[in-house]
Amino acid sequence: MSDAFSSAAPDDTMAGDPNEHFQLRLYVAGQTPKSVRAYENLKKICEEHLAGRYTIELIDLLKNPQLAKGDEIVAIPTLVRQLPHPIRKIIGDLSNTDRTLVGLQIKVN
Amino acid sequence: MADTRSDDRQLGSLPKALTGIDGLDEITQGGFPQGRPTLICGSAGCGKTLLSMEFLVHGAMRYDEPGIFFAFEESSEELKENVRSLGFDLDKLEAEGKLLVDHIHVEPSEIEETGEYDLEGLFIRLGYMIDSIGAKRVVLDTLETLFGGLQNEAILRAELRRLFRWLKDKGVTAVITAERGDGTLTRQGLEEYVSDCVILLDHRVVDQTSTRRLRIVKYRGTSHGTNEYPFLIDEDGFSVLPVTSLGLSHKVYNDRVSTGVSRLDTMLSGGIYRGSSVLISGTAGSGKSSLSAHFAKATCERGERCLYMSFEEAPAQIKRNMKSIGLDLQPWEDQGLLKFIATRPTFHGLEMHLTEIHKLVKRFQPTTVIIDPISNFIAAGNVREAQAMLLRLVDFLKAQGITAVFVNLTTGQVDQEATDMGISSLIDTWILLRDIELGGERNRGMYVLKSRGTAHSNQIREFVIDETGIDLLDVYVGPAGVLTGSMRTQQEAREAAEKRARQLEADARKRALDRKRAALEAQILALQAAFDAEEAEAAQVRDEFAEGERILQASRDDMAVNRRMDEDHQR
């Protein structure tokens, strides 16, 4: 099943609505190096920029293939920003932090 | 023999999945390669989606092979709506678990790429769907959309290669569609990955008339038709028309059928063979349609059905005109023996016409089909296409044992014995109607140019159309050449007068001769009498001489007795 967990840290280093909560979903397929890397990169970015106001839901499509349809998942790994609207998708291992931030529309000072 | 061998080959070749599409199974010799991907490429709007959808629907409905349609472009609803017009109820098939439509939407505007990825998500999704209904057939309708949604082409290409291998491993018969690129079969070079079977669809517009064509570019491990085959999309869906699959092995008939003109039947030693093809060619107004209407009448009189395809006149007009020559076609139409179909040749492409004729023939089951005129088909395509189409039409009708009557309008006097359609060699009986212009008059002449297997007349006949129909008259052939019409009548009158004069003269000569004979006979009698008299006289002289001799002898004997001659010396 999906591993959902949240982390909170009182750190406001970013612009935008500082109280906006980010609901993120990371789709992976098993414990592949790319998936592991993506999760680690995501954790790092979130801790750095969204500390305390994000939720990451990790979905393993090998276990729940039926979930691929909902978010129109084609590539793995795919990060989906459920909230705030609109939905954004970032595919890849999130190794490029800047692009990930652009994708998530997190403005950095 | 031939059949067994082809059967063996069928068994030996790779297994195939029937498409259920008319003609396509024929040219692929059994359908798409089973358990392998087939690529269907072509430009926009040439029927890729429809072809692949029909492959699935037929698989689900006829061959018990469930299928999944993965649509990358259209949404499921749009797709269902589109094929509903062809009578495919996808909702029903979905409810029965035989066919699923899945829309895979890749929206480039909401996707950001960073770092490495693969398409495992797509694989999982396809795999999940395939397993959910145990699909045997899969369609990926335009996979190339992925190239628009994802930027890393290197990854994409590697993943597509993996995808095709994965589909093979899955054992599904897959159809992948792709847009045609500039100078390449597909815009993204997908043909490099799908090497088993590649089918190209084409949609050409020539002179404002569109024609669709299909070609098998490649089909590994099997023989296949290599030509371009015209295909059609109409209310019955997709159908491919194989050109060469019809061989020259149609059944032949020995019985003859009437042409509707008894004198013409005589010229053809009893009519034309059933199932043969007849070409009536002639210039404008030479009576081609009237003659073909007689064919129609003759067919209906035998209680058989006749299909009259008119490409020039409206049925009502034909009927009115034929009535004026004493040919009432209405009752036959009312009885359902005669069916008129009138369309403009340019209304749609040649293939559409051909398929329409195929369908009508299959539905109506006529024994005679009249195409009036074929020359107009050039207007719907070019000469070569029209030729090819007529070739197929002749073949098709022959294969069905249908007597075909083609009307061809020729122009000018020079080229009468060459059909511009170049189909003369396919035709069994060729009747040529021609205008004979003489003495300020135009009359119709007719002759049988050829008739296979028939000792046909070599005579030109004058072809007269009056209120009682068509009649054939002997033309005047004499020292003044061939005469027709009033000149023939005139000549005939002149000849009658001459004949009468000759008769009178002959009578006079006979009388003179008789007189002479009588005189001679009288003379002969007189001579005979004279001769007889002379002969009688001669006989008398002879008798008198003999008597004299006798008397002389007697007196000599007496003298001897008197001289007492010896008895011994008497002789």
Side-chain angles (χ1 to χ4, degrees):
Chain A
M1 284 304 284
S2 57
D3 301 290
F5 53 96
S6 56
S7 171
D11 187 39
D12 290 335
T13 53
M14 51 155 301
D17 185 350
N19 301 317
E20 230 170 9
H21 186 81
F22 276 72
Q23 193 178 322
L24 304 173
R25 240 181 226 174
L26 183 65
Y27 286 88
V28 295
Q31 297 285 313
T32 62
K34 279 193 284 272
S35 300
V36 172
R37 217 158 45 232
Y39 181 65
E40 283 166 357
N41 288 333
L42 179 62
K43 272 293 275 187
K44 203 170 113 239
I45 292 165
C46 286
E47 278 304 318
E48 225 170 277
H49 303 281
L50 299 170
R53 51 193 190 92
Y54 69 90
T55 321
I56 300 176
E57 194 184 352
L58 191 65
I59 295 177
D60 187 350
L61 290 180
L62 286 186
K63 292 180 189 157
N64 299 293
Q66 74 282 6
L67 296 179
K69 189 171 171 61
D71 277 318
E72 295 289 349
I73 303 307
V74 170
I76 289 291
T78 298
L79 173 65
V80 180
R81 186 186 79 174
Q82 302 284 105
L83 281 174
H85 283 298
I87 285 184
R88 299 285 303 166
K89 285 180 193 164
I90 305 157
I91 60 177
D93 59 10
L94 310 177
S95 53
N96 186 328
T97 307
D98 290 343
R99 290 198 68 145
T100 309
L101 291 173
V102 171
L104 286 172
Q105 292 175 330
I106 297 168
K107 294 191 189 90
V108 184
N109 291 331
Chain B
M1 265 316 275
D3 282 344
T4 347
R5 210 180 53 210
S6 70
D7 279 346
D8 287 345
R9 210 189 298 150
Q10 200 77 33
L11 289 172
S13 77
L14 47 113
K16 291 177 185 176
L18 285 168
T19 61
I21 294 167
D22 286 342
L24 187 58
D25 287 333
E26 228 170 301
I27 56 172
T28 53
Q29 297 182 6
F32 294 154
Q34 191 152 39
R36 292 164 188 238
T38 293
L39 179 68
I40 297 176
C41 42
S43 47
C46 66
K48 301 185 292 290
T49 304
L50 190 64
L51 174 59
S52 38
M53 182 55 94
E54 271 205 43
F55 170 69
L56 284 191
V57 170
H58 291 314
M61 288 169 66
R62 294 195 209 163
Y63 310 116
D64 197 27
E65 292 198 352
I68 300 177
F69 195 99
F70 292 104
F72 289 81
E73 280 179 334
E74 293 169 286
S75 75
S76 310
E77 281 64 41
E78 281 167 348
L79 204 63
K80 285 176 188 171
E81 194 59 49
N82 292 349
V83 298
R84 193 166 291 139
S85 60
L86 299 168
F88 298 147
D89 190 353
L90 296 190
D91 286 327
K92 186 168 164 277
L93 288 170
E94 277 199 340
E96 291 168 1
K98 289 178 176 167
L99 197 148
L100 289 182
V101 179
D102 192 13
H103 177 52
I104 296 180
H105 182 67
V106 180
E107 179 58 59
S109 67
E110 59 184 36
I111 292 177
E112 191 71 38
E113 289 181 30
T114 157
E116 279 180 50
Y117 58 89
D118 55 39
L119 297 185
E120 193 59 32
L122 180 67
F123 285 62
I124 288 173
R125 204 162 154 188
L126 301 182
Y128 175 70
M129 294 291 281
I130 290 168
D131 294 341
S132 70
I133 61 165
K136 297 273 193 301
R137 299 182 177 202
V138 166
V139 171
L140 299 169
D141 187 32
T142 324
L143 208 47
E144 283 167 319
T145 316
L146 291 176
F147 284 87
L150 306 170
Q151 288 149 26
N152 194 328
E153 213 176 279
I155 290 181
L156 209 46
R157 288 187 180 278
E159 286 297 284
L160 286 181
R161 200 179 289 273
R162 189 163 73 94
L163 174 67
F164 294 129
R165 206 165 33 227
W166 178 82
L167 286 169
K168 270 193 198 181
D169 292 344
K170 269 274 182 199
V172 291
T173 309
V175 170
I176 294 109
T177 66
E179 287 269 311
R180 192 167 187 183
D182 263 344
T184 53
L185 286 175
T186 61
R187 203 174 284 164
Q188 305 295 343
L190 289 184
E191 65 269 26
E192 286 173 40
Y193 311 119
V194 185
S195 49
D196 294 288
C197 180
V198 178
I199 289 172
L200 179 66
L201 303 183
D202 182 30
H203 192 187
R204 263 176 261 168
V205 178
V206 179
D207 294 336
Q208 293 142 39
T209 309
S210 73
T211 311
R212 298 168 194 269
R213 287 187 179 77
L214 176 147
R215 183 162 70 94
I216 303 171
V217 179
K218 164 158 104 172
Y219 198 154
R220 190 171 281 180
T222 182
S223 58
H224 59 82
T226 51
N227 297 338
E228 275 195 319
Y229 301 93
F231 71 91
L232 277 177
I233 298 172
D234 60 10
E235 71 274 9
D236 294 336
F238 207 93
S239 45
V240 183
L241 309 168
V243 189
T244 46
S245 65
L246 299 161
L248 289 171
S249 52
H250 33 256
K251 185 177 188 291
V252 293
Y253 294 86
N254 287 320
D255 59 320
R256 290 174 184 269
V257 292
S258 170
T259 60
V261 180
S262 60
R263 188 84 190 259
L264 181 58
D265 291 344
T266 317
M267 282 173 83
L268 292 162
S269 23
I272 49 162
Y273 284 117
R274 182 182 292 279
S276 68
S277 47
V278 181
L279 176 68
I280 303 173
S281 67
T283 48
S286 54
K288 301 180 297 294
S289 296
S290 307
L291 187 56
S292 32
H294 277 75
F295 268 96
K297 184 198 76 168
T299 307
C300 296
E301 276 173 351
R302 288 193 300 272
E304 295 168 0
R305 278 187 291 276
C306 176
L307 180 65
Y308 197 116
M309 304 284 301
S310 169
F311 293 104
E312 251 175 6
E313 290 179 275
Q317 192 180 319
I318 296 175
K319 278 181 278 182
R320 182 201 67 196
N321 294 350
M322 290 308 131
K323 212 166 182 173
S324 76
I325 61 162
L327 203 59
D328 194 359
L329 299 171
Q330 191 63 51
W332 303 120
E333 201 181 15
D334 294 343
Q335 284 179 38
L337 289 173
L338 179 62
K339 193 185 193 93
F340 280 103
I341 301 291
T343 42
R344 284 269 163 217
T346 46
F347 185 61
H348 37 224
L350 292 170
E351 278 64 38
M352 198 74 175
H353 281 300
L354 190 57
T355 311
E356 197 178 38
I357 295 171
H358 274 224
K359 281 183 181 165
L360 282 165
V361 164
K362 285 201 173 133
R363 216 172 293 151
F364 187 57
Q365 295 287 324
T367 61
T368 304
V369 172
I370 297 167
I371 313 278
D372 181 15
I374 52 168
S375 21
N376 277 19
F377 279 118
I378 295 178
N382 62 34
V383 176
R384 221 177 45 228
E385 281 171 349
Q387 259 173 26
M389 179 232 170
L390 282 166
L391 169 76
R392 298 203 307 272
L393 184 57
V394 170
D395 269 354
F396 168 71
L397 294 177
K398 278 208 167 171
Q400 307 283 316
I402 294 168
T403 312
V405 179
F406 300 101
V407 175
N408 186 38
L409 175 73
T410 52
T411 47
Q413 296 279 331
V414 199
D415 225 14
Q416 294 231 343
E417 290 178 16
T419 45
D420 28 354
M421 312 296 283
I423 59 156
S424 51
S425 57
L426 305 167
I427 294 295
D428 297 315
T429 300
W430 188 354
I431 298 166
L432 193 59
L433 300 175
R434 60 186 305 174
D435 288 321
I436 300 171
E437 216 171 302
L438 258 183
E441 235 178 54
R442 239 176 131 100
N443 290 298
R444 300 181 179 96
M446 171 166 111
Y447 60 96
V448 180
L449 201 84
K450 78 164 179 188
S451 188
R452 285 177 179 152
T454 304
H456 61 88
S457 165
N458 62 351
Q459 302 289 302
I460 296 184
R461 294 274 183 267
E462 188 175 344
F463 180 78
V464 182
I465 304 177
D466 57 21
E467 63 279 353
T468 58
I470 289 176
D471 201 7
L472 295 179
L473 303 175
D474 288 323
V475 291
Y476 172 80
V477 187
V482 174
L483 296 181
T484 55
S486 55
M487 286 193 69
R488 172 178 47 79
T489 320
Q490 228 173 41
Q491 182 70 26
E492 275 167 5
R494 197 180 303 136
E495 266 186 20
E498 278 170 10
K499 192 177 169 188
R500 192 170 150 68
R502 276 199 306 276
Q503 185 70 48
L504 286 173
E505 197 188 315
D507 287 353
R509 284 180 67 176
K510 187 172 182 292
R511 275 195 304 277
L513 209 64
D514 284 348
R515 274 198 305 277
K516 204 169 173 180
R517 185 188 293 118
L520 279 171
E521 273 170 1
Q523 249 178 318
I524 290 167
L525 278 174
L527 283 170
Q528 186 75 45
F531 177 77
D532 285 351
E534 257 179 70
E535 201 175 43
E537 204 176 325
Q540 201 179 349
V541 169
R542 205 165 52 238
D543 288 351
E544 277 170 10
F545 176 77
E547 184 61 20
E549 279 291 289
R550 198 185 51 80
I551 292 168
L552 208 58
Q553 185 67 40
S555 59
R556 244 189 242 131
D557 290 349
D558 288 346
M559 262 161 59
V561 172
N562 289 344
R563 287 174 188 166
R564 288 188 188 131
M565 277 181 74
D566 274 348
E567 285 289 319
D568 299 338
H569 293 101
Q570 233 172 341
R571 275 233 137 191

